[in-house]
Amino acid sequence: MDYSDIASVAGKGGLFKIVKPTRTGVILESLDDKKQKLVASATQRISVLSDISIYTTDQEGSRPLEDVFRQINKEFNNDLGVTPTSAPDELKAFIKHIIPDYDPQRVYVSDIKKVINWYNALKENAPKLLEEKVEKKPEKEAKKKKSE
């Protein structure tokens, strides 16, 4: 499973695994233990996690959600110190610790709550996605180094 296999649906809580596309939309399955199936039509707003990023004030302008989740996991692992019901100032301090150059004008408290909810869902149901990405060397380079 990858970040491109997980989606959020507007109006529905939680995250969903993309099962397969249909003629009129996509079949989704909830990531939690219930494994509820949902057929999302093309009229519903579906956001794939690999396409979501957090606004920043640096030159790039945003940071991929995948990187944010890995940073949270690296820094906090199981104890975030905040919950989605924490005070807005605590939530802003949390995201500022993770992304020092986040854009407070464009990142709302509701967005930070979603990040925390989604992180917790992934931690529980797909913890491998939160681990650091190991860069694989292309096979040609690996073979080249062995022959030297």
Side-chain angles (χ1 to χ4, degrees):
M1 190 180 327
D2 198 1
Y3 283 92
S4 59
D5 299 330
I6 301 173
S8 168
V9 180
K12 304 279 184 194
L15 294 174
F16 297 87
K17 177 181 169 191
I18 299 171
V19 178
K20 67 180 188 178
T22 65
R23 283 185 300 140
T24 59
V26 66
I27 297 173
L28 303 170
E29 179 181 80
S30 64
L31 265 188
D32 59 15
D33 295 334
K34 296 175 186 171
K35 302 292 183 202
Q36 293 176 324
K37 299 240 181 190
L38 166 75
V39 178
S41 68
T43 58
Q44 289 179 294
R45 267 196 354 224
I46 301 169
S47 301
V48 179
L49 291 192
S50 62
D51 295 342
I52 300 173
S53 57
I54 305 289
Y55 290 115
T56 61
T57 57
D58 64 2
Q59 193 172 11
E60 292 176 23
S62 67
R63 187 152 168 218
L65 191 59
E66 181 176 345
D67 294 349
V68 173
F69 285 151
R70 288 196 173 110
Q71 182 69 28
I72 292 171
N73 192 50
K74 184 178 169 187
E75 297 262 341
F76 296 100
N77 200 7
N78 290 329
D79 184 20
L80 300 181
V82 293
T83 65
T85 58
S86 295
D89 291 338
E90 289 178 35
L91 295 170
K92 290 177 185 177
F94 170 77
I95 203 72
K96 184 144 184 84
H97 178 77
I98 298 300
I99 311 170
D101 56 351
Y102 92 100
D103 188 347
Q105 300 296 319
R106 296 168 70 186
V107 178
Y108 304 107
V109 172
S110 60
D111 299 328
I112 302 168
K113 289 178 181 184
K114 282 182 198 171
V115 168
I116 293 168
N117 276 329
W118 292 349
Y119 173 82
N120 289 333
L122 289 176
K123 186 73 177 169
E124 189 174 319
N125 301 297
K128 290 189 183 233
L129 289 178
L130 301 173
E131 295 170 3
E132 285 296 318
K133 215 178 207 179
V134 178
E135 293 293 323
K136 293 182 181 178
K137 293 181 182 177
E139 285 185 39
K140 288 181 182 178
E141 285 184 35
K143 287 179 182 177
K144 192 176 185 181
K145 289 193 177 197
K146 283 183 182 179
S147 64
E148 290 177 357

Short mmCIF file of all heavy atoms in Angstrom, two decimals, residues 9-11 13 18 31-32 44 55 58-59 61 71 73 75 77 82 84 89 92 106 114 120 125 127 130:
data_model
loop_
_atom_site.label_atom_id
_atom_site.label_comp_id
_atom_site.label_asym_id
_atom_site.label_seq_id
_atom_site.Cartn_x
_atom_site.Cartn_y
_atom_site.Cartn_z
N VAL A 9 -12.60 11.31 1.73
CA VAL A 9 -13.82 11.71 1.03
C VAL A 9 -14.47 12.83 1.82
O VAL A 9 -14.69 12.70 3.02
CB VAL A 9 -14.80 10.52 0.88
CG1 VAL A 9 -16.06 10.95 0.16
CG2 VAL A 9 -14.14 9.36 0.17
N ALA A 10 -14.76 13.93 1.15
CA ALA A 10 -15.40 15.07 1.80
C ALA A 10 -16.74 14.63 2.40
O ALA A 10 -17.53 13.94 1.74
CB ALA A 10 -15.61 16.20 0.81
N GLY A 11 -16.95 14.98 3.67
CA GLY A 11 -18.20 14.64 4.33
C GLY A 11 -18.19 13.29 5.02
O GLY A 11 -19.13 12.94 5.73
N GLY A 13 -15.89 10.80 7.56
CA GLY A 13 -14.75 10.78 8.46
C GLY A 13 -13.82 9.62 8.14
O GLY A 13 -14.22 8.61 7.58
N ILE A 18 -8.35 2.74 -1.65
CA ILE A 18 -8.96 2.69 -2.97
C ILE A 18 -8.90 1.24 -3.45
O ILE A 18 -7.82 0.67 -3.60
CB ILE A 18 -8.23 3.62 -3.96
CG1 ILE A 18 -8.30 5.06 -3.45
CG2 ILE A 18 -8.80 3.49 -5.35
CD1 ILE A 18 -7.45 6.04 -4.21
N LEU A 31 -10.31 2.21 6.18
CA LEU A 31 -9.04 1.69 6.68
C LEU A 31 -9.18 1.05 8.06
O LEU A 31 -8.35 0.24 8.43
CB LEU A 31 -8.01 2.81 6.79
CG LEU A 31 -7.06 3.02 5.62
CD1 LEU A 31 -5.99 4.02 5.98
CD2 LEU A 31 -6.45 1.76 5.10
N ASP A 32 -10.22 1.41 8.78
CA ASP A 32 -10.38 0.88 10.14
C ASP A 32 -10.78 -0.60 10.11
O ASP A 32 -10.89 -1.22 9.06
CB ASP A 32 -11.39 1.71 10.94
CG ASP A 32 -12.77 1.75 10.30
OD1 ASP A 32 -13.04 0.93 9.40
OD2 ASP A 32 -13.58 2.61 10.68
N GLN A 44 -18.57 13.34 -5.88
CA GLN A 44 -18.03 13.52 -4.53
C GLN A 44 -16.57 13.97 -4.61
O GLN A 44 -15.84 13.58 -5.52
CB GLN A 44 -18.13 12.22 -3.73
CG GLN A 44 -19.55 11.87 -3.36
CD GLN A 44 -19.62 10.57 -2.60
OE1 GLN A 44 -19.34 9.53 -3.15
NE2 GLN A 44 -20.00 10.65 -1.34
N TYR A 55 0.73 24.01 3.03
CA TYR A 55 1.30 25.27 2.55
C TYR A 55 2.45 25.73 3.44
O TYR A 55 2.36 25.65 4.67
CB TYR A 55 0.25 26.38 2.53
CG TYR A 55 -0.82 26.20 1.48
CD1 TYR A 55 -2.14 26.00 1.84
CD2 TYR A 55 -0.50 26.27 0.14
CE1 TYR A 55 -3.13 25.85 0.87
CE2 TYR A 55 -1.48 26.11 -0.84
CZ TYR A 55 -2.78 25.91 -0.46
OH TYR A 55 -3.75 25.76 -1.41
N ASP A 58 8.15 28.99 2.35
CA ASP A 58 9.46 28.90 1.70
C ASP A 58 9.29 28.98 0.18
O ASP A 58 8.19 29.15 -0.33
CB ASP A 58 10.21 27.63 2.12
CG ASP A 58 9.52 26.35 1.67
OD1 ASP A 58 8.47 26.43 1.01
OD2 ASP A 58 10.04 25.27 2.00
N GLN A 59 10.38 28.82 -0.53
CA GLN A 59 10.38 28.98 -1.98
C GLN A 59 9.53 27.92 -2.68
O GLN A 59 8.89 28.20 -3.69
CB GLN A 59 11.81 28.92 -2.49
CG GLN A 59 11.97 29.38 -3.91
CD GLN A 59 13.44 29.49 -4.29
OE1 GLN A 59 14.32 29.05 -3.56
NE2 GLN A 59 13.69 30.08 -5.44
N GLY A 61 6.79 26.46 -1.52
CA GLY A 61 5.39 26.81 -1.34
C GLY A 61 4.53 25.77 -0.66
O GLY A 61 3.42 26.07 -0.24
N GLN A 71 7.80 12.94 9.26
CA GLN A 71 8.44 13.82 10.25
C GLN A 71 7.76 13.69 11.61
O GLN A 71 8.43 13.61 12.64
CB GLN A 71 8.39 15.28 9.77
CG GLN A 71 9.07 16.26 10.70
CD GLN A 71 10.57 16.09 10.73
OE1 GLN A 71 11.18 15.65 9.78
NE2 GLN A 71 11.16 16.46 11.85
N ASN A 73 6.15 11.09 12.72
CA ASN A 73 6.50 9.77 13.24
C ASN A 73 7.92 9.77 13.81
O ASN A 73 8.17 9.19 14.87
CB ASN A 73 6.37 8.71 12.14
CG ASN A 73 6.44 7.31 12.69
OD1 ASN A 73 5.73 6.97 13.63
ND2 ASN A 73 7.28 6.49 12.12
N GLU A 75 9.62 12.36 14.99
CA GLU A 75 9.71 13.23 16.17
C GLU A 75 8.92 12.70 17.37
O GLU A 75 9.38 12.77 18.50
CB GLU A 75 9.18 14.63 15.85
CG GLU A 75 9.96 15.36 14.80
CD GLU A 75 10.95 16.34 15.37
OE1 GLU A 75 10.80 16.74 16.54
OE2 GLU A 75 11.87 16.71 14.63
N ASN A 77 6.49 9.66 17.26
CA ASN A 77 6.11 8.26 17.24
C ASN A 77 4.71 8.05 17.82
O ASN A 77 3.74 8.44 17.19
CB ASN A 77 7.15 7.40 17.95
CG ASN A 77 7.06 5.94 17.53
OD1 ASN A 77 6.32 5.59 16.63
ND2 ASN A 77 7.80 5.10 18.19
N VAL A 82 -0.78 16.09 21.44
CA VAL A 82 -2.00 16.83 21.11
C VAL A 82 -3.02 15.86 20.54
O VAL A 82 -2.68 14.79 20.07
CB VAL A 82 -1.75 17.97 20.08
CG1 VAL A 82 -0.89 19.06 20.65
CG2 VAL A 82 -1.17 17.43 18.80
N PRO A 84 -7.01 15.98 18.26
CA PRO A 84 -7.81 16.89 17.45
C PRO A 84 -8.68 17.84 18.27
O PRO A 84 -9.11 18.87 17.78
CB PRO A 84 -8.68 15.95 16.61
CG PRO A 84 -7.90 14.69 16.55
CD PRO A 84 -7.21 14.59 17.87
N ASP A 89 -4.28 26.99 19.87
CA ASP A 89 -2.89 27.42 20.04
C ASP A 89 -1.93 26.22 20.16
O ASP A 89 -0.82 26.26 19.64
CB ASP A 89 -2.74 28.32 21.27
CG ASP A 89 -3.41 29.68 21.07
OD1 ASP A 89 -3.61 30.07 19.90
OD2 ASP A 89 -3.74 30.33 22.08
N LYS A 92 -1.53 24.74 16.64
CA LYS A 92 -0.64 25.58 15.82
C LYS A 92 0.82 25.41 16.24
O LYS A 92 1.71 25.35 15.40
CB LYS A 92 -1.05 27.06 15.92
CG LYS A 92 -2.35 27.35 15.22
CD LYS A 92 -2.76 28.80 15.41
CE LYS A 92 -4.12 29.07 14.82
NZ LYS A 92 -4.57 30.45 15.05
N ARG A 106 -2.76 30.26 5.51
CA ARG A 106 -3.44 29.33 4.61
C ARG A 106 -3.67 27.95 5.22
O ARG A 106 -4.39 27.15 4.64
CB ARG A 106 -2.62 29.20 3.33
CG ARG A 106 -2.55 30.52 2.58
CD ARG A 106 -1.53 30.53 1.49
NE ARG A 106 -1.90 29.69 0.36
CZ ARG A 106 -1.09 29.45 -0.65
NH1 ARG A 106 0.10 29.98 -0.69
NH2 ARG A 106 -1.48 28.68 -1.63
N LYS A 114 -7.23 17.50 10.88
CA LYS A 114 -7.27 16.41 9.90
C LYS A 114 -5.93 15.68 9.85
O LYS A 114 -5.89 14.46 9.79
CB LYS A 114 -7.60 16.94 8.50
CG LYS A 114 -9.04 17.23 8.28
CD LYS A 114 -9.23 17.70 6.85
CE LYS A 114 -10.55 18.41 6.69
NZ LYS A 114 -10.70 19.06 5.40
N ASN A 120 -3.07 9.42 13.04
CA ASN A 120 -3.49 8.37 13.98
C ASN A 120 -4.10 7.17 13.25
O ASN A 120 -3.85 6.03 13.62
CB ASN A 120 -4.46 8.93 15.02
CG ASN A 120 -3.78 9.86 16.01
OD1 ASN A 120 -2.59 9.73 16.27
ND2 ASN A 120 -4.52 10.80 16.55
N ASN A 125 -3.53 1.60 11.29
CA ASN A 125 -3.91 0.68 10.21
C ASN A 125 -2.88 0.46 9.12
O ASN A 125 -2.98 -0.51 8.36
CB ASN A 125 -5.22 1.16 9.57
CG ASN A 125 -6.33 1.24 10.58
OD1 ASN A 125 -6.73 0.24 11.14
ND2 ASN A 125 -6.81 2.45 10.85
N PRO A 127 1.00 1.29 9.53
CA PRO A 127 2.19 1.91 10.12
C PRO A 127 3.42 1.93 9.21
O PRO A 127 4.28 2.79 9.35
CB PRO A 127 2.45 1.07 11.37
CG PRO A 127 1.72 -0.20 11.16
CD PRO A 127 0.56 0.12 10.26
N LEU A 130 4.45 5.19 7.50
CA LEU A 130 5.02 6.29 8.29
C LEU A 130 6.53 6.16 8.47
O LEU A 130 7.16 7.08 8.96
CB LEU A 130 4.33 6.34 9.66
CG LEU A 130 2.82 6.55 9.61
CD1 LEU A 130 2.24 6.41 11.00
CD2 LEU A 130 2.48 7.88 9.01
#
